[in-house]
Protein backbone atom coordinates (compact mmCIF):
# COMPACT_ATOMS: atom_id res chain seq x y z
CA UNK A 1 0.00 0.00 0.00
CA UNK A 2 1.42 3.35 -0.94
CA UNK A 3 1.50 6.25 1.50
CA UNK A 4 -1.26 8.87 1.15
CA UNK A 5 0.18 12.34 0.56
CA UNK A 6 -1.31 15.82 0.35
CA UNK A 7 1.09 18.09 -1.54
CA UNK A 8 1.14 21.81 -0.76
CA UNK A 9 3.30 23.58 -3.35
CA UNK A 10 4.17 26.68 -5.38
CA UNK A 11 5.11 25.28 -8.81
CA UNK A 12 7.93 25.96 -9.57
CA UNK A 13 10.17 23.58 -11.51
CA UNK A 14 11.12 21.30 -8.63
CA UNK A 15 7.56 21.44 -7.29
CA UNK A 16 6.32 19.91 -10.55
CA UNK A 17 8.86 17.11 -10.18
CA UNK A 18 7.58 16.60 -6.64
CA UNK A 19 4.05 16.19 -8.06
CA UNK A 20 5.34 13.58 -10.52
CA UNK A 21 7.25 11.62 -7.88
CA UNK A 22 4.27 11.69 -5.50
CA UNK A 23 1.90 10.60 -8.27
CA UNK A 24 4.03 7.55 -8.95
CA UNK A 25 5.42 6.57 -5.53
CA UNK A 26 2.52 7.55 -3.26
CA UNK A 27 -1.24 7.89 -3.22
CA UNK A 28 -1.52 11.56 -4.14
CA UNK A 29 -4.76 12.62 -2.46
CA UNK A 30 -4.81 16.34 -3.27
CA UNK A 31 -2.71 19.33 -4.21
CA UNK A 32 -2.93 22.83 -2.80
CA UNK A 33 -1.16 25.79 -4.33
CA UNK A 34 0.25 28.80 -2.51
CA UNK A 35 1.85 32.07 -3.57
CA UNK A 36 5.62 31.63 -3.70
CA UNK A 37 7.85 31.06 -6.70
CA UNK A 38 5.18 32.89 -8.72
CA UNK A 39 1.85 34.62 -7.91
CA UNK A 40 -1.01 32.35 -6.84
CA UNK A 41 -2.88 32.39 -10.16
CA UNK A 42 0.28 31.04 -11.79
CA UNK A 43 1.09 28.40 -9.17
CA UNK A 44 -2.51 27.12 -9.46
CA UNK A 45 -2.26 27.03 -13.27
CA UNK A 46 1.13 25.31 -13.06
CA UNK A 47 -0.19 22.66 -10.68
CA UNK A 48 -3.08 22.07 -13.10
CA UNK A 49 -0.58 21.71 -15.96
CA UNK A 50 1.29 19.06 -13.97
CA UNK A 51 -1.83 16.97 -13.27
CA UNK A 52 -3.04 17.44 -16.82
CA UNK A 53 0.26 16.30 -18.38
CA UNK A 54 0.47 13.28 -16.09
CA UNK A 55 -3.26 12.53 -16.58
CA UNK A 56 -3.84 12.44 -12.82
CA UNK A 57 -7.22 12.33 -11.20
CA UNK A 58 -6.12 14.61 -8.35
CA UNK A 59 -7.88 17.83 -7.30
CA UNK A 60 -5.95 21.12 -7.25
CA UNK A 61 -7.06 23.73 -4.70
CA UNK A 62 -6.11 27.40 -4.56
CA UNK A 63 -4.71 28.60 -1.25
CA UNK A 64 -3.20 31.82 0.08
CA UNK A 65 -2.41 34.64 -2.35
CA UNK A 66 0.00 36.26 0.10
CA UNK A 67 1.95 35.49 3.26
CA UNK A 68 0.32 35.87 6.69
CA UNK A 69 1.56 39.40 7.38
CA UNK A 70 3.95 40.36 4.59
CA UNK A 71 3.84 41.28 0.95
CA UNK A 72 4.15 38.46 -1.57
CA UNK A 73 7.63 38.06 -3.05
CA UNK A 74 8.46 35.69 -5.91
CA UNK A 75 11.46 33.91 -7.41
CA UNK A 76 11.44 34.83 -11.12
CA UNK A 77 15.26 34.80 -11.16
CA UNK A 78 15.16 30.99 -10.81
CA UNK A 79 11.70 30.00 -12.08
CA UNK A 80 10.86 32.69 -14.67
CA UNK A 81 7.84 35.04 -14.53
CA UNK A 82 5.39 32.18 -15.13
CA UNK A 83 6.97 30.03 -12.42
CA UNK A 84 7.66 27.40 -15.09
CA UNK A 85 10.14 29.01 -17.45
CA UNK A 86 11.48 26.85 -20.26
CA UNK A 87 8.96 24.60 -22.02
CA UNK A 88 6.09 25.96 -24.09
CA UNK A 89 3.29 25.61 -21.56
CA UNK A 90 0.15 23.81 -22.73
CA UNK A 91 -3.25 25.46 -22.56
CA UNK A 92 -4.75 24.72 -19.15
CA UNK A 93 -7.77 22.52 -19.72
CA UNK A 94 -8.25 21.34 -16.12
CA UNK A 95 -10.10 23.53 -13.59
CA UNK A 96 -9.18 24.12 -9.96
CA UNK A 97 -11.50 22.54 -7.39
CA UNK A 98 -13.71 25.28 -5.89
CA UNK A 99 -13.08 24.19 -2.26
CA UNK A 100 -10.42 26.48 -0.74
CA UNK A 101 -7.09 24.80 0.01
CA UNK A 102 -7.24 25.01 3.80
CA UNK A 103 -10.76 23.53 4.00
CA UNK A 104 -9.87 20.77 1.55
CA UNK A 105 -6.70 19.86 3.44
CA UNK A 106 -8.54 19.76 6.78
CA UNK A 107 -11.26 17.56 5.27
CA UNK A 108 -8.70 15.19 3.74
CA UNK A 109 -6.88 14.85 7.06
CA UNK A 110 -10.18 14.25 8.85
CA UNK A 111 -11.14 11.52 6.41
CA UNK A 112 -8.11 9.33 7.22
CA UNK A 113 -5.60 8.65 9.97
CA UNK A 114 -2.44 8.22 7.95
CA UNK A 115 -2.17 11.31 5.73
CA UNK A 116 1.26 12.88 5.21
CA UNK A 117 1.36 16.56 4.35
CA UNK A 118 4.29 17.34 2.08
CA UNK A 119 4.83 21.11 2.01
CA UNK A 120 7.29 22.48 -0.53
CA UNK A 121 6.40 26.16 -0.80
CA UNK A 122 6.02 29.00 1.70
CA UNK A 123 4.11 27.57 4.67
CA UNK A 124 1.14 29.98 4.58
CA UNK A 125 -1.56 27.40 3.77
CA UNK A 126 -0.19 24.97 6.35
CA UNK A 127 -0.04 27.63 9.09
CA UNK A 128 -3.59 28.77 8.31
CA UNK A 129 -4.84 25.18 8.54
CA UNK A 130 -3.01 24.61 11.85
CA UNK A 131 -4.35 27.88 13.26
CA UNK A 132 -7.93 27.09 12.27
CA UNK A 133 -7.65 23.50 13.52
CA UNK A 134 -4.67 22.95 15.87
CA UNK A 135 -5.62 19.26 16.16
CA UNK A 136 -4.44 18.86 12.56
CA UNK A 137 -0.91 18.50 13.97
CA UNK A 138 -1.99 15.25 15.65
CA UNK A 139 -4.28 14.06 12.87
CA UNK A 140 -1.49 14.01 10.29
CA UNK A 141 1.04 11.21 10.11
CA UNK A 142 3.53 14.03 9.69
CA UNK A 143 4.57 17.12 7.78
CA UNK A 144 7.53 16.66 5.45
CA UNK A 145 8.66 20.14 4.46
CA UNK A 146 11.24 21.67 2.18
CA UNK A 147 12.56 24.78 3.82
CA UNK A 148 15.30 26.36 5.86
CA UNK A 149 18.95 25.45 6.27
CA UNK A 150 21.50 25.02 9.00
CA UNK A 151 24.21 26.51 6.80
CA UNK A 152 23.96 29.31 4.22
CA UNK A 153 20.67 30.47 2.73
CA UNK A 154 19.80 31.01 -0.93
CA UNK A 155 17.52 34.05 -1.15
CA UNK A 156 19.71 35.83 1.43
CA UNK A 157 22.97 34.86 3.12
CA UNK A 158 20.99 33.54 6.07
CA UNK A 159 17.62 32.43 4.72
CA UNK A 160 16.11 29.83 2.43
CA UNK A 161 13.32 31.10 0.12
CA UNK A 162 10.27 29.19 1.46
CA UNK A 163 10.88 30.16 5.08
CA UNK A 164 12.00 33.70 4.18
CA UNK A 165 8.82 34.25 2.11
CA UNK A 166 6.57 33.66 5.13
CA UNK A 167 8.60 33.35 8.35
CA UNK A 168 5.56 33.85 10.61
CA UNK A 169 3.86 30.88 8.96
CA UNK A 170 7.00 28.77 9.27
CA UNK A 171 7.26 29.53 12.98
CA UNK A 172 3.65 28.38 13.51
CA UNK A 173 4.49 25.11 11.77
CA UNK A 174 7.70 24.51 13.77
CA UNK A 175 5.78 25.19 17.01
CA UNK A 176 2.77 23.06 16.05
CA UNK A 177 3.83 19.82 17.69
CA UNK A 178 3.37 17.90 14.43
CA UNK A 179 5.76 15.13 13.43
CA UNK A 180 8.02 17.40 11.34
CA UNK A 181 10.60 16.27 8.81
CA UNK A 182 12.77 19.05 7.39
CA UNK A 183 14.64 18.98 4.09
CA UNK A 184 16.76 22.12 4.31
CA UNK A 185 19.23 23.41 1.74
CA UNK A 186 22.13 21.46 3.25
CA UNK A 187 20.22 18.31 2.38
CA UNK A 188 18.66 19.32 -0.95
CA UNK A 189 22.02 20.50 -2.30
CA UNK A 190 23.14 16.86 -2.11
CA UNK A 191 20.49 15.85 -4.70
CA UNK A 192 21.77 17.48 -7.87
CA UNK A 193 20.78 17.58 -11.50
CA UNK A 194 23.34 18.29 -14.21
CA UNK A 195 23.18 18.18 -18.02
CA UNK A 196 24.10 14.50 -18.16
CA UNK A 197 21.24 13.56 -15.85
CA UNK A 198 18.87 15.79 -17.82
CA UNK A 199 19.70 13.79 -20.96
CA UNK A 200 18.89 10.59 -19.09
CA UNK A 201 15.47 12.05 -18.22
CA UNK A 202 14.86 13.25 -21.80
CA UNK A 203 15.77 9.82 -23.17
CA UNK A 204 12.88 8.26 -21.20
CA UNK A 205 10.88 9.65 -24.11
CA UNK A 206 7.37 10.14 -22.69
CA UNK A 207 5.50 13.45 -22.54
CA UNK A 208 6.08 13.95 -18.81
CA UNK A 209 9.78 13.08 -19.11
CA UNK A 210 10.32 15.43 -22.06
CA UNK A 211 8.48 18.26 -20.27
CA UNK A 212 10.57 17.60 -17.15
CA UNK A 213 13.80 17.70 -19.17
CA UNK A 214 12.81 21.07 -20.66
CA UNK A 215 12.00 22.39 -17.19
CA UNK A 216 15.38 21.17 -15.98
CA UNK A 217 17.22 22.78 -18.93
CA UNK A 218 15.85 26.15 -17.80
CA UNK A 219 16.38 25.44 -14.10
CA UNK A 220 20.03 24.47 -14.55
CA UNK A 221 20.65 27.53 -16.76
CA UNK A 222 19.10 29.75 -14.08
CA UNK A 223 21.43 28.22 -11.50
CA UNK A 224 24.36 28.74 -13.83
CA UNK A 225 23.42 32.45 -14.20
CA UNK A 226 22.86 32.94 -10.47
CA UNK A 227 25.56 30.73 -8.96
CA UNK A 228 28.07 30.06 -11.78
CA UNK A 229 27.59 26.29 -12.19
CA UNK A 230 25.15 24.37 -14.42
CA UNK A 231 24.00 22.15 -11.57
CA UNK A 232 20.65 22.52 -9.84
CA UNK A 233 19.48 21.14 -6.51
CA UNK A 234 16.25 19.13 -6.72
CA UNK A 235 14.82 20.57 -3.52
CA UNK A 236 11.15 19.63 -3.51
CA UNK A 237 11.27 15.96 -4.57
CA UNK A 238 13.40 15.38 -1.46
CA UNK A 239 10.39 16.01 0.77
CA UNK A 240 8.27 13.50 -1.13
CA UNK A 241 11.07 10.92 -1.13
CA UNK A 242 11.54 11.38 2.62
CA UNK A 243 8.05 9.87 2.98
CA UNK A 244 8.07 7.34 0.15
CA UNK A 245 11.75 6.26 0.31
CA UNK A 246 12.90 6.94 3.91
CA UNK A 247 15.76 4.44 3.48
CA UNK A 248 17.52 7.01 1.25
CA UNK A 249 18.02 9.43 4.15
CA UNK A 250 19.97 9.91 7.37
CA UNK A 251 18.55 12.25 10.00
CA UNK A 252 18.95 13.77 13.45
CA UNK A 253 16.35 14.99 15.94
CA UNK A 254 16.88 18.75 16.48
CA UNK A 255 15.12 21.88 17.63
CA UNK A 256 14.37 24.38 14.86
CA UNK A 257 13.09 27.94 15.33
CA UNK A 258 12.58 30.75 12.82
CA UNK A 259 14.14 34.21 13.01
CA UNK A 260 11.43 36.73 12.15
CA UNK A 261 12.85 40.06 13.30
CA UNK A 262 16.57 40.08 12.48
CA UNK A 263 17.75 42.87 10.22
CA UNK A 264 20.06 40.51 8.30
CA UNK A 265 18.56 37.18 9.29
CA UNK A 266 14.82 37.35 8.52
CA UNK A 267 13.62 33.85 7.68
CA UNK A 268 16.73 32.09 8.96
CA UNK A 269 16.07 28.72 10.56
CA UNK A 270 17.98 28.47 13.81
CA UNK A 271 18.83 24.77 14.05
CA UNK A 272 20.13 23.74 17.44
CA UNK A 273 22.91 21.29 16.55
CA UNK A 274 24.77 21.67 19.84
CA UNK A 275 26.16 18.39 21.03
CA UNK A 276 27.00 19.71 24.48
CA UNK A 277 25.57 22.48 26.62
CA UNK A 278 21.81 22.51 26.88
CA UNK A 279 20.24 22.08 23.44
CA UNK A 280 16.53 22.92 23.11
CA UNK A 281 14.19 19.92 23.11
CA UNK A 282 13.92 18.55 19.53
CA UNK A 283 10.81 19.43 17.51
CA UNK A 284 12.02 18.30 14.08
CA UNK A 285 13.60 15.37 12.28
CA UNK A 286 16.35 17.13 10.39
CA UNK A 287 17.36 15.28 7.22
CA UNK A 288 21.15 15.35 7.04
CA UNK A 289 22.14 12.98 4.20
CA UNK A 290 20.45 11.73 1.02
CA UNK A 291 21.61 8.91 -1.23
CA UNK A 292 21.85 11.08 -4.36
CA UNK A 293 22.12 8.17 -6.83
CA UNK A 294 19.21 6.34 -5.23
CA UNK A 295 17.08 9.49 -5.24
CA UNK A 296 17.82 10.06 -8.94
CA UNK A 297 16.79 6.48 -9.74
CA UNK A 298 13.51 7.04 -7.87
CA UNK A 299 12.93 10.20 -9.93
CA UNK A 300 13.71 8.35 -13.17
CA UNK A 301 11.36 5.52 -12.18
CA UNK A 302 8.55 8.03 -11.62
CA UNK A 303 9.11 10.01 -14.83
CA UNK A 304 9.48 6.81 -16.83
CA UNK A 305 6.21 5.40 -15.52
CA UNK A 306 4.08 8.47 -16.29
CA UNK A 307 2.59 9.11 -19.76
C1 LIG B 1 12.65 26.32 -2.51
O1 LIG B 1 12.26 27.56 -3.09
C2 LIG B 1 11.73 27.34 -4.38
O2 LIG B 1 12.38 28.15 -5.30
C3 LIG B 1 11.87 25.88 -4.69
O3 LIG B 1 10.70 25.42 -5.35
C4 LIG B 1 12.04 25.22 -3.34
O4 LIG B 1 10.80 24.85 -2.77
C5 LIG B 1 14.16 26.27 -2.42
O5 LIG B 1 14.65 27.33 -1.65
CA1 LIG C 1 8.73 24.98 -4.05
Amino acid sequence: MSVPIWLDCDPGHDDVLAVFVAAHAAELVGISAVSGNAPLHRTVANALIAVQLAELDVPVHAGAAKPLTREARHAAHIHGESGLGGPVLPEVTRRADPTPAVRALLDAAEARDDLWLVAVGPLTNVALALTLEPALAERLAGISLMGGAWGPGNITAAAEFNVWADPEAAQIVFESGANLVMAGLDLTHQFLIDRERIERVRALGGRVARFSAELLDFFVEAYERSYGEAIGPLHDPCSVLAVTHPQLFASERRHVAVERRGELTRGMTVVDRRSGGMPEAPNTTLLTRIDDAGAFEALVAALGALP
Side-chain angles (χ1 to χ4, degrees):
M1 278 294 287
S2 56
V3 194
I5 282 180
W6 184 281
L7 184 65
D8 186 76
C9 57
D10 63 334
H13 295 67
D14 51 332
D15 301 76
V16 166
L17 297 179
V19 171
F20 294 153
V21 174
H24 173 67
E27 180 198 348
L28 183 54
V29 170
I31 297 174
S32 46
V34 66
S35 164
N37 286 324
L40 181 68
H41 74 276
R42 279 303 332 164
T43 59
V44 171
N46 295 344
L48 289 167
I49 287 171
V51 296
Q52 184 177 314
L53 282 171
E55 296 173 13
L56 306 178
D57 186 16
V58 176
V60 172
H61 302 264
K66 60 186 282 299
L68 294 183
T69 63
R70 300 176 190 252
E71 288 309 306
R73 304 280 292 275
H74 310 299
H77 62 297
I78 298 291
H79 297 278
E81 292 297 332
S82 72
L84 286 187
V88 176
L89 298 179
E91 187 194 337
V92 184
T93 54
R94 299 284 186 101
R95 290 285 161 262
D97 189 295
T99 306
V102 169
R103 182 72 265 149
L105 165 60
L106 290 170
D107 290 349
E110 198 48 46
R112 54 197 317 157
D113 291 331
D114 52 353
L115 186 67
W116 271 90
L117 170 57
V118 176
V120 296
L123 289 159
T124 321
N125 291 342
V126 182
L128 287 168
L130 286 164
T131 304
L132 196 64
E133 189 49 83
L136 176 66
E138 296 287 312
R139 284 292 305 159
L140 291 167
I143 302 176
S144 178
L145 65 92
M146 190 285 132
W150 73 75
N154 56 4
I155 189 76
T156 71
E160 179 281 328
F161 176 77
N162 288 339
V163 175
W164 172 86
D166 197 345
E168 286 72 23
Q171 180 62 11
I172 289 171
V173 174
F174 280 106
E175 283 179 350
S176 68
N179 173 27
L180 294 180
V181 178
M182 170 176 154
L185 292 175
D186 314 273
L187 182 281
T188 64
H189 279 253
Q190 298 170 33
F191 183 21
L192 297 169
I193 191 91
D194 59 10
R195 293 207 163 103
E196 199 180 319
R197 282 187 168 179
I198 295 175
E199 291 320 313
R200 174 110 188 266
V201 168
R202 205 184 322 273
L204 293 168
R207 184 202 318 146
V208 165
R210 282 184 281 115
F211 185 79
S212 300
E214 288 174 22
L215 285 177
L216 290 167
D217 288 336
F218 182 95
F219 187 65
V220 154
E221 272 165 35
Y223 266 85
E224 191 171 26
R225 270 197 312 278
S226 294
Y227 302 100
E229 238 191 324
I231 296 180
L234 294 180
H235 306 285
D236 294 349
C238 292
S239 293
V240 176
L241 293 170
V243 176
T244 58
H245 296 65
Q247 71 280 6
L248 295 176
F249 296 84
S251 63
E252 298 170 358
R253 292 285 301 159
R254 296 291 173 189
H255 185 270
V256 181
V258 179
E259 176 57 70
R260 286 147 291 153
R261 285 177 287 271
E263 201 179 318
L264 302 174
T265 51
R266 159 194 167 177
M268 177 181 182
T269 42
V270 179
V271 181
D272 195 341
R273 298 193 83 198
R274 285 178 288 181
S275 50
M278 292 204 293
E280 301 277 341
N283 60 359
T284 301
T285 298
L286 180 72
L287 300 173
T288 54
R289 300 288 313 165
I290 182 170
D291 169 356
D292 160 68
F296 184 62
E297 290 312 318
L299 175 67
V300 166
L303 298 180
L306 292 168

